[in-house]
Amino acid sequence: MSAEEERVEKALERDDVAISVRNLRNSFGDQVVHEGLNLDVRKGEILGVVGGSGTGKSVLMRSIIGLQTPDEGEVHVFGESMIGRLDDEALAIRKRWGVLFQGGALFSTLTVAENVEVPIREYYPNIGPKLRDEIAAYKIRMTGLPAEAGPKYPAELSGGMKKRAGLARALALDPDLLFLDEPTAGLDPIGAAAFDDQTRKLQQTLGLTVFLITHDLDTLYSICDRVAVLADRKVTAVGTIDELLATDHPWIQEYFNGPRGAPRRRRSLAKRTRGDRIWKPAPTMCWWARSRCCCWRRS
């Protein structure tokens, strides 16, 4: 057995690994998306997955959950191989995860409650209507939606409410593993921050492992334990943001230190050094501005 094979075997035997991807290759015709991609997702962590457009973030997620068959490689979830398995064989593992696709992916002809009940109907057909309704109502409230959202249709919801409805459906089976694909895309800053906070609370309360695809720097800094960077057809680096900043990969440096990344990094550093205060206004600020600046009142 080669050194690489031994490393793979040891990774699969570790109790703290929820997802293990080895030597993954995905292509569409002549376009190779992944080549020799390796990644471990630890149990109980929120792993952020970032990369430029076209680097195959969603393709990687689809490969893990069985919606995309890779050309080569191995995918193990909770120690079970997911490649080449029949649907019936993978059923027990699929019950242990939930997925929030981009935009929520709700069925437009079903109410929010009926959308949440879809996985329950599929995996537990013997559960009666009354219990299904109770489970759906509980999941809807769990994600921060009002009870009145249950009988509404997706067209009657705001963007943020659609995301939460999709999250409620992803949590319908009490999963151990949660996949989130661009959960804050299209949300205003307040809505995105609220969704991030809800995600962290659910992860801590339910002991979830979260695989989170995002472009949102605020999400990465706020709730992600580690970040995996997709570039050059593979996972180029994985670690905490501080560890990634120590690398010299040009895309990573541009992403975190570029025009949008640098201000977010400064705010993060300010929070670490000054607690709740993000910045301190100049001493010459007028009395009118001081009276209205929450940062000044905290200083």
Side-chain angles (χ1 to χ4, degrees):
M1 183 180 290
S2 67
E4 176 63 20
E5 289 174 337
E6 289 181 1
R7 187 171 67 84
V8 171
E9 289 295 325
K10 289 180 180 178
L12 294 177
E13 292 172 359
R14 287 169 51 189
D15 292 334
D16 65 335
V17 175
I19 302 171
S20 179
V21 180
R22 289 292 177 272
N23 300 316
L24 195 71
R25 185 182 195 275
N26 278 303
S27 64
F28 299 94
D30 296 332
Q31 181 184 2
V32 178
V33 180
H34 300 139
E35 186 74 68
L37 185 150
N38 298 301
L39 177 65
D40 286 331
V41 182
R42 300 169 184 166
K43 290 181 180 178
E45 76 170 342
I46 298 180
L47 178 75
V49 180
V50 301
S53 297
T55 53
K57 300 179 293 296
S58 295
V59 174
L60 172 58
M61 185 190 80
R62 290 169 61 86
S63 297
I64 295 171
I65 64 178
L67 296 180
Q68 167 80 24
T69 302
D71 303 330
E72 299 174 7
E74 292 290 332
V75 175
H76 288 79
V77 179
F78 298 119
E80 297 286 340
S81 176
M82 301 306 299
I83 303 297
R85 302 190 71 167
L86 299 176
D87 288 343
D88 291 343
E89 296 175 339
L91 188 63
I93 297 297
R94 289 178 177 171
K95 289 179 180 178
R96 298 182 63 183
W97 71 53
V99 185
L100 171 60
F101 294 98
Q102 290 189 33
L106 300 173
F107 295 104
S108 60
T109 57
L110 300 181
T111 66
V112 170
E114 290 169 342
N115 267 279
V116 176
E117 292 178 17
V118 167
I120 304 174
R121 288 175 177 271
E122 180 178 356
Y123 290 102
Y124 297 99
N126 294 328
I127 291 181
K130 185 174 185 299
L131 181 55
R132 276 202 313 268
D133 291 344
E134 291 176 359
I135 295 173
Y138 176 71
K139 300 300 180 179
I140 289 169
R141 294 300 302 274
M142 179 188 291
T143 56
L145 287 173
E148 296 76 25
K152 292 185 177 181
Y153 287 90
E156 302 175 274
L157 304 178
S158 67
M161 293 178 74
K162 288 179 182 178
K163 296 291 181 91
R164 290 179 183 268
L167 180 59
R169 185 177 62 187
L171 295 171
L173 301 181
D174 294 329
D176 300 309
L177 177 58
L178 186 62
F179 293 91
L180 305 177
D181 193 354
E182 298 284 3
T184 60
L187 300 183
D188 62 83
I190 295 175
F195 195 96
D196 286 343
D197 184 59
Q198 188 73 37
T199 300
R200 172 57 84 180
K201 287 179 179 177
L202 289 170
Q203 184 266 337
Q204 292 175 339
T205 302
L206 304 177
L208 297 170
T209 300
V210 182
F211 182 98
L212 191 159
I213 299 171
T214 186
H215 285 106
D216 194 330
L217 283 161
D218 287 329
T219 297
L220 296 177
Y221 276 97
S222 299
I223 67 172
C224 290
D225 300 303
R226 295 191 303 151
V227 178
V229 179
L230 267 64
D232 307 322
R233 301 178 179 175
K234 60 182 182 293
V235 174
T236 302
V238 58
T240 64
I241 291 178
D242 287 340
E243 290 170 342
L244 294 180
L245 288 169
T247 68
D248 58 0
H249 192 279
W251 190 90
I252 295 175
Q253 291 299 320
E254 177 65 20
Y255 185 75
F256 287 103
N257 292 317
R260 295 193 177 188
R264 182 59 184 85
R265 186 186 174 197
R266 286 196 295 269
R267 291 199 300 273
S268 177
L269 291 172
K271 286 183 179 180
R272 294 185 201 176
T273 57
R274 293 198 291 267
D276 191 41
R277 187 178 60 201
I278 297 177
W279 64 284
K280 186 172 182 178
T284 55
M285 180 179 281
C286 70
W287 67 269
W288 185 90
R290 289 183 185 180
S291 66
R292 286 157 177 78
C293 179
C294 61
C295 296
W296 176 270
R297 290 197 296 272
R298 287 197 298 264
S299 62

